[in-house]
Amino acid sequence: MSDIIQLLPDHVANQIAAGEVVQRPASVIKELLENSIDAHATRIQVVIKDAGKTLIQVVDDGVGMSVTDARMSFERHATSKIKLADDLFSLKTKGFRGEALASIAAIAHVELKTRRAEEEIGTCIKMEGSQVVSQEACVTPKGTCLSVKNLFYNIPARRNFLKSDNVETRHIIDEFQRVALAHPDISFSLTHNNNELFQLPPSNQRQRITNIFGGKTNEKLVPVEEDTGIVKVSGFVGKPEFAKKSRGEQFFFVNNRFIKSPYLNHAVVAAFEGLLKDKSYPSYFLYLDVDPKSIDINIHPTKTEIKFDDEHALYAILKSAIKHSLGQFNVAPMLDFERDSDLDTPYDYKNKNASAPQIEVDRDFNPFKNEGGLASFSGGGGNVSYRRERSAASWEGIYTGLETETMPESSANLKEIEFESEEVTGNLFGAKEEEHGRSTFQLNKKYIISTLKSGLLAIDQHRAHTRILYEELLKNITVSAAVSQQLLFPLKLQFNKHENEMLKEIKDSLEQTGFVFSEFGRDEVEITGIPTLIAESEVEMLLEKLLADFEKEVPSDGFSQTDLMAKSLASSMAVRSGTLLNSAEQQHIVNRLFACKEPGLTPFNKTIFTTIGVDELDKKFA
């Protein structure tokens, strides 16, 4: 029997490696940006077309490469970042594997132009599927320009699995923001289909956050500073009142590298304990500087996972640092330099005791007394006048003599007049309930219990209302527009540029549900009308939840976008468990539910109601 184990060809091995390193166009952006940063670039430009499927171009002014280095950069495991295994425990660069360019070149058409400062001409290399097509001298500015065209051209299955342009663009923006936040001292720009999305000048951390997420972000940030022997913590957390319904603005950076850490995220949430509303998530931009020897980055090719030597100490330090910053924010007084000094209490009054105010009352005042001493009133028998014999000595005197004065016959017997009782003796639904009896009951402010011929019907009120609203919203979006209630004062909501772009994509569908948008600013949206089913105070929360669902679900076509919007809005607008409903509201939900096309399941395929038969009840009492 012949040997069956053989060494894979380089181009096959590169394609396998590419499956781990390059998952989508955003992965290419991340790898190329990190290479530019390692090359000590001060200005980095990113140009993409068709969400990176057609073109990804990264231009930097870094140190550049020689002719030999330019060719070697496309070989597997060829890198200038490390030389020994021990170097893995003292990493100060972004990359170190030497796989990125080899993996990208295996699945795309790549063109590299690079030149060092001390050389007069540069090098241009063109590659297709790991094969060098050409290598020649060229005129190019100092630094490196790398263009990636037709990504996954030789792997049709991977290309077909890419999402829509909008979804892939969101992922690219996410990666771009992470790198830009980690390096505020570098100038970044991002252009998509000749439309400039970001232009970020060199700045400090706070300004970089504000430039990315909008000018209104500045007032929401609370600085965090802590320096210990284990870790140096810096950055910002969002004020509790600005917490969002999504986890979009949560960033951890360890040694200027973006990471994901559920453990450290739990420390931040624990620091906000008691300050956040239900299902709200705090924003944070936290930079941790630790000894490179105390962490391990070499876990996953994307290098977003990390292991710490002493996680427990890091957890405690991070939690206490955030608590301390939040405490300072809540306790420190605000200095108002525009205060009106005329409203200040004079120093002369500082030690004076407060005295009770003097009140003067005219006890002889009679509003019914005219100049001639006659009081008159209109009654059923015409105008009647009577003369007071004496002025009343006190307010009780106003009513003195009323019983003995001459009164008209029609109004003489005032005691016989009947007045409507203030006590309510019935209710609007009293007669109906007496006739038919009460058919529904609410259990634990969560379930609606109704009777059937065969037993009992138990309905989850939140799930039932979600199904009702879902079908109604779906009808409004696809068939006829819903009724909108106009706001007396326009509602202005703040969203970052990325969220604004998402709102513009779904603007038409939102208007079908009843929203009316008057203006879209760079980081602000003005709303003049809202659906009749929701309150004005719930609009911001509802839209945040909708955007969070879009981030998570990433719909790729028009139908799934409409369906997702209807699901998200219905779930947010439905009556919650714990809400007390009167009998009319309970009956309304029951009637509307069984008028739905699919009353048994929610839009998320969860059971809405269950029945308990008489036979089952009989068994309980057997």
Side-chain angles (χ1 to χ4, degrees):
M1 183 177 179
S2 61
D3 299 331
I4 59 174
I5 296 178
Q6 58 184 356
L7 195 65
L8 288 174
D10 285 345
H11 69 279
V12 177
N14 287 341
Q15 286 193 7
I16 294 171
E20 293 182 336
V21 178
V22 183
Q23 300 167 357
R24 56 188 349 136
S27 306
V28 177
I29 296 282
K30 173 182 179 293
E31 297 294 343
L32 297 185
L33 284 175
E34 290 183 347
N35 282 343
S36 295
I37 292 167
D38 287 341
H40 308 294
T42 60
R43 187 178 70 255
I44 302 175
Q45 299 173 336
V46 181
V47 179
I48 57 175
K49 288 186 179 179
D50 301 328
K53 299 172 185 176
T54 303
L55 171 68
I56 298 172
Q57 187 178 62
V58 177
V59 183
D60 67 62
D61 61 350
V63 295
M65 290 181 281
S66 65
V67 177
T68 306
D69 286 345
R71 180 65 189 86
M72 283 293 293
S73 65
F74 290 100
E75 297 295 329
R76 285 191 71 206
H77 308 306
T79 180
S80 62
K81 316 297 172 63
I82 62 172
K83 294 180 179 179
L84 303 172
D86 292 341
D87 294 340
L88 290 172
F89 301 100
S90 58
L91 287 171
K92 294 183 180 178
T93 57
K94 299 289 185 183
F96 56 85
R97 290 174 177 271
E99 288 185 331
L101 287 182
S103 299
I104 294 169
I107 54 173
H109 297 163
V110 178
E111 181 182 72
L112 170 69
K113 292 182 179 180
T114 183
R115 180 176 74 83
R116 295 193 295 186
E118 60 270 22
E119 296 175 349
E120 293 184 357
I121 60 173
T123 304
C124 177
I125 297 178
K126 294 182 180 179
M127 301 192 69
E128 294 180 4
S130 297
Q131 301 298 318
V132 179
V133 176
S134 67
Q135 179 174 348
E136 56 190 9
C138 68
V139 177
T140 184
K142 168 185 168 291
T144 302
C145 172
L146 203 147
S147 303
V148 179
K149 303 174 183 177
N150 305 322
L151 192 66
F152 298 126
Y153 82 99
N154 54 354
I155 312 179
R158 289 292 297 273
R159 190 174 179 88
N160 292 335
F161 274 105
L162 291 178
K163 303 295 183 182
S164 67
D165 284 0
N166 291 333
V167 175
E168 295 299 340
T169 303
R170 285 183 210 140
H171 286 287
I172 289 173
I173 290 174
D174 286 343
E175 292 292 351
F176 177 84
Q177 288 177 349
R178 291 166 182 173
V179 177
L181 285 170
H183 300 275
D185 56 324
I186 300 176
S187 171
F188 288 91
S189 69
L190 175 62
T191 304
H192 180 220
N193 291 342
N194 298 321
N195 178 30
E196 186 178 84
L197 300 182
F198 291 96
Q199 182 65 50
L200 307 174
S203 59
N204 57 33
Q205 289 177 352
R206 188 165 195 144
Q207 288 173 330
R208 178 54 57 88
I209 294 169
T210 303
N211 289 336
I212 291 177
F213 295 101
K216 301 291 185 182
T217 310
N218 187 42
E219 63 190 35
K220 304 176 184 178
L221 301 177
V222 180
V224 178
E225 290 286 342
E226 191 68 46
D227 194 353
T228 68
I230 299 175
V231 61
K232 179 183 177 183
V233 181
S234 62
F236 304 89
V237 294
K239 296 177 183 177
E241 60 265 33
F242 296 109
K244 295 201 166 190
K245 292 291 179 183
S246 65
R247 302 176 186 267
E249 296 179 5
Q250 295 185 340
F251 297 89
F252 275 119
F253 301 95
V254 174
N255 296 350
N256 288 335
R257 185 194 300 275
F258 173 79
I259 65 154
K260 296 177 181 178
S261 175
Y263 187 69
L264 294 183
N265 177 74
H266 189 274
V268 177
V269 174
F272 277 88
E273 187 177 3
L275 300 175
L276 297 176
K277 297 178 182 178
D278 186 34
K279 293 184 179 178
S280 293
Y281 304 99
S283 301
Y284 55 80
F285 309 87
L286 295 172
Y287 300 79
L288 282 64
D289 289 331
V290 299
D291 184 354
K293 295 180 181 177
S294 66
I295 58 174
D296 184 7
I297 306 272
N298 192 24
I299 298 174
H300 192 272
T302 59
K303 299 186 284 288
T304 55
E305 296 179 24
I306 195 169
K307 286 195 178 297
F308 299 93
D309 279 356
D310 194 349
E311 280 190 327
H312 297 291
L314 211 61
Y315 183 100
I317 292 170
L318 189 60
K319 180 180 176 181
S320 61
I322 296 171
K323 270 186 171 292
H324 178 66
S325 295
L326 291 173
Q328 279 187 324
F329 163 72
N330 288 325
V331 173
M334 295 291 291
L335 295 177
D336 186 4
F337 294 102
E338 298 180 359
R339 184 183 68 243
D340 188 354
S341 58
D342 295 336
L343 300 178
D344 291 345
T345 304
Y347 288 109
D348 299 342
Y349 287 80
K350 180 181 178 182
N351 298 320
K352 286 189 176 182
N353 294 324
S355 57
Q358 300 296 324
I359 302 174
E360 296 182 1
V361 179
D362 183 5
R363 298 184 180 278
D364 294 333
F365 175 71
N366 184 357
F368 301 103
K369 185 176 180 181
N370 55 25
E371 293 179 359
L374 289 174
S376 62
F377 65 90
S378 297
N383 292 333
V384 178
S385 301
Y386 65 93
R387 182 179 297 277
R388 296 292 306 272
E389 294 181 359
R390 59 182 178 84
S391 60
S394 61
W395 64 269
E396 295 93 334
I398 295 174
Y399 305 99
T400 305
L402 278 178
E403 296 179 359
T404 58
E405 295 287 349
T406 304
M407 302 290 287
E409 292 182 4
S410 59
S411 58
N413 196 359
L414 294 174
K415 294 182 179 179
E416 294 182 1
I417 298 176
E418 294 184 1
F419 296 95
E420 184 178 356
S421 172
E422 293 183 1
E423 182 181 355
V424 179
T425 55
N427 59 49
L428 186 61
F429 305 100
K432 189 178 291 186
E433 288 182 0
E434 286 176 8
E435 283 181 22
H436 304 289
R438 187 168 179 178
S439 59
T440 60
F441 298 89
Q442 190 178 24
L443 176 63
N444 205 25
K445 295 183 182 179
K446 184 177 181 180
Y447 300 104
I448 297 174
I449 309 299
S450 183
T451 55
L452 298 170
K453 290 182 179 179
S454 58
L456 293 176
L457 175 70
I459 302 172
D460 186 305
Q461 65 186 37
H462 174 69
R463 293 183 180 181
H465 201 206
T466 300
R467 163 53 68 175
I468 294 167
L469 292 176
Y470 168 73
E471 294 197 4
E472 185 176 330
L473 287 166
L474 211 56
K475 179 182 177 182
N476 290 338
I477 296 172
T478 56
V479 181
S480 59
V483 179
S484 174
Q485 56 177 342
Q486 297 301 305
L487 299 175
L488 185 60
F489 300 102
L491 187 63
K492 293 185 178 181
L493 304 178
Q494 296 167 8
F495 296 101
N496 61 47
K497 193 169 183 178
H498 178 38
E499 292 170 335
N500 264 11
E501 292 297 323
M502 291 175 61
L503 279 175
K504 287 178 183 177
E505 292 174 21
I506 58 177
K507 175 176 174 283
D508 293 340
S509 297
L510 282 173
E511 287 178 339
Q512 289 290 104
T513 65
F515 284 96
V516 179
F517 298 93
S518 61
E519 184 181 348
F520 273 88
R522 186 179 184 277
D523 53 4
E524 194 174 63
V525 175
E526 188 175 272
I527 299 174
T528 56
I530 59 176
T532 55
L533 294 171
I534 63 173
E536 184 179 344
S537 59
E538 299 174 350
V539 174
E540 185 171 11
M541 179 200 70
L542 188 144
L543 290 179
E544 282 184 4
K545 175 74 166 52
L546 177 64
L547 292 175
D549 288 341
F550 265 83
E551 286 276 10
K552 187 170 56 179
E553 294 285 344
V554 288
S556 56
D557 54 49
F559 174 76
S560 60
Q561 186 184 82
T562 301
D563 185 62
L564 174 60
M565 181 182 298
K567 285 179 181 177
S568 179
L569 291 176
S571 178
S572 301
M573 294 160 61
V575 62
R576 297 287 171 191
S577 297
T579 304
L580 183 64
L581 303 176
N582 59 39
S583 57
E585 292 168 336
Q586 296 167 24
Q587 193 63 50
H588 178 74
I589 287 179
V590 173
N591 294 340
R592 291 283 302 278
L593 174 64
F594 289 101
C596 291
K597 294 181 179 178
E598 185 63 55
L601 295 173
T602 69
F604 307 98
N605 292 323
K606 293 183 179 179
T607 303
I608 295 177
F609 65 86
T610 185
T611 56
I612 303 174
V614 176
D615 294 340
E616 190 175 343
L617 287 173
D618 289 340
K619 291 178 183 177
K620 299 289 184 183
F621 291 96

